[in-house]
């Protein structure tokens, strides 16, 4: 089976065109060699590709007839990606949520409400200290 069809069948990419683009950009390797979209894969081949800032490493166990359901994917591949890579992705997601560069534009509604709430807390503390 072609590498583009295999990665589409085991649900790593949403469309075959996305796999083809990744192959053209040399993001996918089979057994350590850069793969073209038409590269044939066989059981025991080791596929390495970078997706969502994680270097995925999978081993082909079997070749599916066509695209398979999410529950059946583990029959056709063995995921050998280290768990540290997934932990790093979670940390990256959390850091992006709480980081905003100054001068990137107007505050959002949530930012404005947080600023107002912080100002009200300080104002309330000053009144309590005067009494």
């Amino acid at each position: 089976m072609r590498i583009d069809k295999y990665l589409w069948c085991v649900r790593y990419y949403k469309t075959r065109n996305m796999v083809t683009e990744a192959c053209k950009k040399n993001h996918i390797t089979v057994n350590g060699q850069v793969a073209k979209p038409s590269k044939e894969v066989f059981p025991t081949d080791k596929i390495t590709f970078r997706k969502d800032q994680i270097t995925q490493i999978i081993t082909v166990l079997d070749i599916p007839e066509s695209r398979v359901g999410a529950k059946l994917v583990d029959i056709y591949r063995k995921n050998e990606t280290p768990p540290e890579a997934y932990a790093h992705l979670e940390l990256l997601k959390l850091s992006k949520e709480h980081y905003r560069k100054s001068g990137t534009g107007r505050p959002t509604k949530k930012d404005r409400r947080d600023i107002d709430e912080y100002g009200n807390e300080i104002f309330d503390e000053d009144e309590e200290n005067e009494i």
Side-chain angles (χ1 to χ4, degrees):
M1 179 179 272
R2 293 168 51 114
I3 184 75
D4 60 344
K5 191 171 182 181
Y6 178 80
L7 289 174
W8 170 76
C9 285
V10 293
R11 298 183 167 268
Y12 276 103
Y13 288 90
K14 197 170 185 177
T15 63
R16 281 181 64 185
N17 190 36
M18 292 171 76
V19 184
T20 303
E21 291 298 318
C23 286
K24 287 180 181 176
K25 293 178 183 176
N26 297 336
H27 290 247
I28 299 175
T29 61
V30 177
N31 297 328
Q33 295 181 338
V34 176
K36 292 182 178 180
S38 60
K39 169 83 172 142
E40 292 287 323
V41 292
F42 302 100
T44 70
D45 281 349
K46 190 172 287 246
I47 301 172
T48 307
F49 59 97
R50 187 154 175 86
K51 185 170 184 249
D52 298 332
Q53 298 183 346
I54 294 180
T55 302
Q56 302 272 350
I57 303 167
I58 61 171
T59 302
V60 178
L61 297 178
D62 198 8
I63 305 296
E65 293 288 319
S66 62
R67 190 167 169 101
V68 296
K71 292 180 181 177
L72 302 175
V73 168
D74 290 332
I75 297 171
Y76 300 103
R77 59 101 173 133
K78 180 180 178 191
N79 191 357
E80 297 178 357
T81 307
E84 297 86 29
Y86 294 111
H88 177 70
L89 181 65
E90 288 299 317
L91 184 65
L92 191 64
K93 284 181 183 178
L94 290 174
S95 68
K96 282 184 179 179
E97 288 178 5
H98 299 289
Y99 178 72
R100 181 170 172 240
K101 288 184 179 178
S102 61
T104 57
R106 294 175 53 176
T108 63
K109 270 188 177 182
K110 184 181 183 320
D111 293 338
R112 183 184 53 80
R113 288 180 182 139
D114 290 343
I115 292 168
D116 289 346
E117 185 177 311
Y118 179 73
N120 290 339
E121 288 175 5
I122 292 175
F123 184 70
D124 291 342
E125 287 176 8
D126 288 344
E127 285 181 357
E128 288 176 6
N129 290 339
E130 290 177 4
I131 298 175

